[in-house]
Amino acid sequence: MKNIILVLLSIIISFKTVNAQNNLSDTEKLTATAKIWGFLKYYHPNVANGKLDWDNQLLVILPSIEKASRKEELSGIFVAWIESLGGIKLCRKCQTIPQSAQFDKNFDLTWFENNKIFTKELTEKLKFIEQNRFQGKPFYVTTEGRSSSLVISNEKPYDNFVWTNRPLRLLSLFRYWNIIEYFYPHKYQLDTKWDVVLSQMLPKFSSPASELAYHLTMLELVVKIDDSHGYFTTDVLNEHFGLKQIPAAFRIIDDQIIITGIYDNALANLNDIKVGDVISKVEGVEVAEVLKQNLNYCNGSNYQSKLKHATVKILNGSSDSVNVEITRGGKTKDRKLARYSFDQFKYGTNQKSWKVLQDNIGYIKLGIINEKELADALNSLVSAKAIIIDLRGYPKEFYGYHFRDFLGVRNAETNKVAKPDFRFPGKFILSNHTIVSKGDPKFTGEVLVLVDEYTQSRAEYTAMWLQNGYHVKTVGSQTAGAGGTMVPQEFVGGYKSYFTSSAIFYPNMAPIQRKGVKIDIEIKPTLQGTVDGKDEILERAIELATKNK
């Protein structure tokens, strides 16, 4: 009898264990919901046309989804939902191979096949929708301008959104995740797979501990796209990180902060701040540790770009001062530095936009020059021995065409561009950018282009055009890695973020995104060189220009 009871208990325990293992977690259910909701939004002919209130459909169905425990229940809800959307006509042109070159590195609908979550019936319905997808004018995305820039359209702002509204928080995550899933051409380059990001962020969006925690979660999600254009801020975040700053510019090298410039001479003198000062601790904490604590909140396509954006989260704050450990001339002291709002700085510069250096070497600072000054510079420097073009900043205009005739054109094709294919979301159309036929240069000397992490977007695209000229070498360190158009999108509540919507490649398909522009002679600023006030990239360029007789 005892043996029979033990056997029965074993069977009951085994049954309960198997049953528990078959139950779906909240994250699994919401992950599946996010993917199906987004897929139907851009693929289903009766949804992608904008005739339905698609946000509301999600909000209505969420309670049923969260009550489901097993895949049969969950799939049944999804199947009934899809059937309620109406019939779909067969799409013959969906089956034809497009004539345009396709960029498919991001495309992945294999999640249809996840038989742990979806029944065979649901998988077949999803595949049928893919094969007979919407082919009209999409409601939720469009283009504008001569360059056909992507625009996220017709999304409800929910201006009265309160952060405690969980369904709207989930809607916000689902929106953002699916926009990146289908329209971010650089998804394949992410450090963390985008599917994994969804699973990681769902619990944080579902149950943030506070309003600040929710805003930090939105910021963390934007940072996950590994994009130097991935800007995101809110009043709550500004209050948390602070907008007050010391009256000096700085950069991070070898986990230390080096003062590289002064915003206001009087305030810098008042605080005894000088170029070359090295800060190793902030509020008693090593800079490396402060950086580690904040790196999840620093956007950037690569590590150097993240360091550039990290500076405002290390010494900035809401208080009127910050305690630091600072080294000057080999002596280390604890100091208190005052913080100010940026509008208090009497910041000015007497930098010339162009000049002639030693040995008849021209120097053009492209980040501050205007169109007329550039024309004068090129006319005056046509007989120079060499020209240094400093692209370590953001040009006021795109000056590629100004350099086209001056430097000549080695290749008619400067780059390739990938833009979203609205008729097959998740895929992109690849096109060549041809500027002119090959041409000889007016300037026959050597050209040295200077770049670093401050070379971003328009500056990177300009660098590509310059590199297509004759006798051009690029000197410096890795650029920001965000060469395409910056596009805004909003979280629920009107919180605006950005991403790089077009993919820019060299003609050989080497990407600009994350990698940056190609560099012929790599020079990274060193800690000691920066402390000594040296511009090591410029000095190397002058050395190269001087050697070439």
Side-chain angles (χ1 to χ4, degrees), residues 455-473:
T455 308
Q456 178 170 321
S457 195
R458 178 186 289 165
E460 290 178 290
Y461 192 56
T462 302
M464 295 179 75
W465 277 54
L466 293 174
Q467 290 171 341
N468 196 34
Y470 288 90
H471 316 300
V472 177
K473 289 182 180 178

Side-chain angles (χ1 to χ4, degrees), residues 81-141:
W81 189 18
I82 291 171
E83 289 177 348
S84 74
L85 301 175
I88 299 175
K89 295 180 180 180
L90 293 177
C91 175
R92 299 188 186 281
K93 61 182 176 182
C94 292
Q95 314 308 320
T96 59
I97 300 174
Q99 294 181 352
S100 56
Q102 292 285 311
F103 182 77
D104 295 344
K105 286 190 176 183
N106 292 302
F107 186 74
D108 183 10
L109 293 176
T110 57
W111 55 270
F112 289 179
E113 310 278 352
N114 186 346
N115 58 19
K116 180 187 177 184
I117 308 293
F118 303 139
T119 61
K120 184 178 180 181
E121 180 187 10
L122 177 57
T123 297
E124 289 176 351
K125 282 189 176 295
L126 295 174
K127 287 182 177 179
F128 180 80
I129 295 169
E130 178 199 353
Q131 293 164 1
N132 299 280
R133 60 195 172 273
F134 180 64
Q135 295 293 291
K137 183 179 180 181
F139 183 72
Y140 295 105
V141 286

Side-chain angles (χ1 to χ4, degrees), residues 381-481:
L381 296 175
V382 71
S383 59
K385 175 184 176 182
I387 298 177
I388 296 171
I389 301 173
D390 198 333
L391 255 177
R392 296 173 295 174
Y394 194 78
K396 294 179 179 180
E397 303 288 342
F398 175 66
Y399 295 130
Y401 292 104
H402 293 73
F403 286 103
R404 183 179 60 189
D405 295 334
F406 189 74
L407 302 181
V409 176
R410 291 187 298 110
N411 299 299
E413 182 185 336
T414 55
N415 60 277
K416 296 180 185 291
V417 182
K419 294 189 177 183
D421 183 352
F422 290 160
R423 296 193 173 189
F424 212 145
K427 294 192 176 187
F428 293 78
I429 298 171
L430 196 63
S431 60
N432 299 333
H433 191 164
T434 303
I435 51 171
V436 288
S437 57
K438 296 180 181 180
D440 295 329
K442 290 181 180 177
F443 181 72
T444 56
E446 185 171 25
V447 179
L448 298 157
V449 179
L450 311 188
V451 299
D452 66 3
E453 67 270 25
Y454 291 90
T455 308
Q456 178 170 321
S457 195
R458 178 186 289 165
E460 290 178 290
Y461 192 56
T462 302
M464 295 179 75
W465 277 54
L466 293 174
Q467 290 171 341
N468 196 34
Y470 288 90
H471 316 300
V472 177
K473 289 182 180 178
T474 303
V475 182
S477 56
Q478 187 178 33
T479 62

Side-chain angles (χ1 to χ4, degrees), residues 108-336:
D108 183 10
L109 293 176
T110 57
W111 55 270
F112 289 179
E113 310 278 352
N114 186 346
N115 58 19
K116 180 187 177 184
I117 308 293
F118 303 139
T119 61
K120 184 178 180 181
E121 180 187 10
L122 177 57
T123 297
E124 289 176 351
K125 282 189 176 295
L126 295 174
K127 287 182 177 179
F128 180 80
I129 295 169
E130 178 199 353
Q131 293 164 1
N132 299 280
R133 60 195 172 273
F134 180 64
Q135 295 293 291
K137 183 179 180 181
F139 183 72
Y140 295 105
V141 286
T142 186
T143 59
E144 68 177 9
R146 289 188 301 174
S147 60
S148 299
S149 298
L150 177 71
V151 175
I152 308 302
S153 57
N154 296 309
E155 297 285 10
K156 293 182 185 178
Y158 297 94
D159 294 328
N160 297 320
F161 165 72
V162 178
W163 75 272
T164 53
N165 189 322
R166 180 175 177 271
L168 286 184
R169 291 198 309 269
L170 292 176
L171 168 65
S172 194
L173 170 61
F174 291 6
R175 271 189 188 177
Y176 185 94
W177 189 87
N178 279 290
I179 287 170
I180 299 301
E181 171 74 1
Y182 292 106
F183 303 108
Y184 186 52
H186 320 289
K187 188 183 70 170
Y188 73 101
Q189 293 178 292
L190 299 184
D191 286 341
T192 305
K193 289 186 176 180
W194 197 232
D195 280 358
V196 175
V197 170
L198 179 58
S199 299
Q200 290 176 340
M201 300 308 297
L202 262 167
K204 296 185 177 185
F205 271 83
S206 182
S207 304
S210 64
E211 183 177 18
L212 172 59
Y214 177 60
H215 284 247
L216 287 170
T217 295
M218 287 190 286
L219 174 57
E220 185 179 354
L221 176 62
V222 174
V223 169
K224 292 284 190 184
I225 67 173
D226 297 323
D227 191 354
S228 294
H229 279 150
Y231 302 113
F232 179 76
T233 191
T234 66
D235 291 342
V236 172
L237 292 174
N238 286 338
E239 178 63 26
H240 174 67
F241 291 112
L243 293 176
K244 293 183 177 180
Q245 55 193 295
I246 66 171
F250 54 92
R251 74 193 308 165
I252 299 171
I253 301 177
D254 297 339
D255 292 333
Q256 296 188 78
I257 296 169
I258 302 91
I259 303 299
T260 56
I262 301 300
Y263 289 144
D264 186 298
N265 288 322
L267 293 178
N269 290 335
L270 184 64
N271 287 274
D272 190 21
I273 300 173
K274 294 185 178 179
V275 171
D277 286 349
V278 177
I279 297 173
S280 51
K281 291 184 181 179
V282 179
E283 299 295 354
V285 181
E286 297 280 351
V287 169
E289 181 59 29
V290 178
L291 180 61
K292 181 180 177 182
Q293 293 170 3
N294 287 281
L295 208 56
N296 279 351
Y297 306 122
C298 301
N299 67 293
S301 299
N302 47 58
Y303 185 68
Q304 201 59 39
S305 186
K306 287 179 182 289
L307 289 184
K308 175 182 69 176
H309 291 120
T311 56
V312 297
K313 294 183 173 65
I314 292 201
L315 283 181
N316 277 23
S318 299
S319 63
D320 292 333
S321 63
V322 58
N323 296 306
V324 300
E325 181 182 86
I326 195 165
T327 300
R328 180 189 299 164
K331 296 181 179 180
T332 301
K333 295 181 179 180
D334 291 331
R335 297 265 303 281
K336 178 181 284 189

